[in-house]
Amino acid sequence: MKVGTVALIGRPNTGKSTLVNNLVGHKVSITSPKPQTTRFSIYAVYEDEREQIIFIDTPGIFAKTQDKKNKQINLEAQRILKEEINVIIYLIDPTRERGPEENRVLGIMRKIDIPKILVINKSDILGEKSYIEQYKFLEDEFGKAIEISALKSKNLGALLDAIFSHLKEGKRLVVKEDLPVPVLNLNSKTYIEENIREKAFLVLRDEVPYQVKVMVDQISERKNGFIYIKARMIAKDAHYKKMIIGHSAHRIKQINMMARKELELSTGKKIYLALTVEAE
Ligand SMILES: Nc1nc2c(ncn2[C@@H]2O[C@H](COP(=O)(O)OP(=O)(O)OP(=O)(O)O)[C@@H](O)[C@H]2O)c(=O)[nH]1
Ligand SMILES: [Mg+2]
């Protein structure tokens, strides 16, 4: 069996988390149409008959910044690159212009001496609006590009083959059966918090998601087989709190319902989610 660790690198919103989720076949990372959705690196396990891969989904790298939080996020992606990584997937989103953000990622890529696979994502919508010409030069620099659609799971087999060709023979890095979900570094609390945060992104759209924190206070199994989860969404102030709750609580109810459904799917159990909102 061939084994190895593969990091996904790219600017925000290129589809790194979507790709990891679809490769692993299970939701491990949250995704959203907003950049900077992923905040910390997530390790997820993929395995088939011939290979075992640990994928590392990193937060998107963006242009040089003075903002403290953004600096931290950039550092996180670069910290990962100092770990033992066997292959890097350099993910491109050709539906957006190249710009300073891509240049920054490119600068980092050029300095790293690890096998890289250039992957062009969102091939399902390339017909509509494409800046692919701006990225063609990368093929000369990094070799052949693999065109995929992370969202539609298109051409992922070719990507797995390319990864396979870079991996070395070895023993399994982890025993998958031991893991409740194929995520290595997330405990269930964080997993639930991330799920709720994702639904908040979806329901609140452009309004507030960045200002929302989620805290899980309790997870317990009830006699009737239900899993009881008590969680709080913490808004920046009273104004945002009201926004999250929505008129006759319609927003918070929707967030709750969506999070509950997904948690039921991933655990195979009935969930009771007591979700409240408070101001910081
Ligand atoms: N049409 C299309 N949309 C995609 C594809 N892959 C990802 N997306 C969308 O692009 C958006 C961003 O996807 P994410 O997976 O959250 O991107 P990311 O690179 O993890 O972003 P950060 O965590 O912010 O760095 C979401 O709205 C996805 O649904 C794809 O292959 N085709
Ligand atoms: Mg992400």
Side-chain angles (χ1 to χ4, degrees):
M1 170 171 259
K2 284 191 169 188
V3 300
T5 306
V6 177
L8 283 98
I9 303 288
R11 60 174 163 160
N13 219 40
T14 49
K16 298 177 293 298
S17 299
T18 307
L19 181 56
V20 167
N21 286 341
N22 284 337
L23 282 167
V24 170
H26 183 101
K27 176 76 160 289
V28 291
S29 288
I30 75 167
T31 64
S32 95
K34 286 177 204 297
Q36 288 177 266
T37 302
T38 305
R39 293 176 308 173
F40 47 85
S41 303
I42 292 171
Y43 294 63
V45 189
Y46 169 87
E47 190 178 313
D48 62 23
E49 315 75 52
R50 58 173 191 172
E51 60 189 327
Q52 187 188 57
I53 307 167
I54 297 181
F55 283 106
I56 310 179
D57 178 19
T58 66
I61 297 170
F62 39 94
K64 254 201 164 68
T65 170
Q66 289 312 313
D67 183 276
K68 222 169 133 197
K69 179 178 147 254
N70 290 359
K71 261 190 177 159
Q72 232 173 20
I73 295 181
N74 272 353
L75 283 177
E76 169 61 14
Q78 296 188 53
R79 182 187 66 76
I80 286 297
L81 293 170
K82 297 204 176 74
E83 287 192 14
E84 208 158 292
I85 307 281
N86 303 105
V87 182
I88 293 174
I89 292 179
Y90 175 17
L91 201 61
I92 301 289
D93 175 0
T95 67
R96 280 182 295 153
E97 284 192 272
R98 185 176 150 199
E101 226 171 45
E102 195 63 62
N103 292 345
R104 176 140 173 93
V105 184
L106 188 56
I108 294 168
M109 285 297 106
R110 282 178 175 149
K111 279 190 223 143
I112 301 166
D113 193 20
I114 301 173
K116 292 161 203 133
I117 301 173
L118 180 64
V119 177
I120 296 179
N121 192 25
K122 310 199 182 179
S123 65
D124 56 302
I125 49 168
L126 263 191
E128 297 163 28
K129 193 168 122 210
S130 168
Y131 295 94
I132 191 118
E133 289 309 319
Q134 296 186 0
Y135 298 94
K136 280 286 178 206
F137 75 99
L138 289 172
E139 288 183 38
D140 297 331
E141 196 169 331
F142 296 95
K144 190 174 97 67
I146 301 177
E147 267 189 32
I148 63 157
S149 164
L151 193 66
K152 302 267 151 72
S153 291
K154 251 174 48 194
N155 218 20
L156 301 190
L159 176 56
L160 286 167
D161 286 347
I163 295 171
F164 184 75
S165 69
H166 288 293
L167 299 182
K168 298 220 162 61
E169 282 295 329
K171 271 207 198 116
R172 273 191 181 82
L173 300 166
V174 288
V175 181
K176 208 173 162 185
E177 289 70 33
D178 289 350
L179 304 168
V181 286
V183 186
L184 287 180
N185 63 332
L186 285 193
N187 59 26
S188 15
K189 250 188 180 171
T190 315
Y191 187 73
I192 294 166
E193 285 164 3
E194 288 291 285
N195 261 301
I196 297 172
R197 212 163 63 83
E198 176 182 72
K199 304 315 170 202
F201 268 106
L202 289 171
V203 172
L204 300 165
R205 300 267 156 200
D206 295 326
E207 293 177 61
V208 284
Y210 291 123
Q211 275 89 4
V212 178
K213 285 184 217 136
V214 180
M215 296 271 284
V216 168
D217 296 315
Q218 195 191 332
I219 308 170
S220 51
E221 191 144 10
R222 293 282 157 94
K223 282 206 188 78
N224 58 11
F226 270 67
I227 295 181
Y228 174 84
I229 298 169
K230 189 165 177 291
R232 280 175 294 148
M233 297 181 70
I234 304 162
K236 210 177 68 177
D237 57 31
H239 171 72
Y240 284 125
K241 175 182 163 181
K242 222 172 127 189
M243 231 183 222
I244 296 170
I245 294 172
H247 183 63
S248 17
H250 78 282
R251 287 217 180 98
I252 183 72
K253 278 184 191 156
Q254 203 188 350
I255 295 170
N256 188 323
M257 188 264 292
M258 288 164 80
R260 181 175 54 76
K261 284 206 167 142
E262 184 155 311
L263 292 168
E264 285 183 344
L265 267 178
S266 62
T267 57
K269 298 211 164 139
K270 282 274 175 213
I271 304 278
Y272 184 86
L273 176 59
L275 182 61
T276 53
V277 188
E278 60 187 52
E280 216 163 63

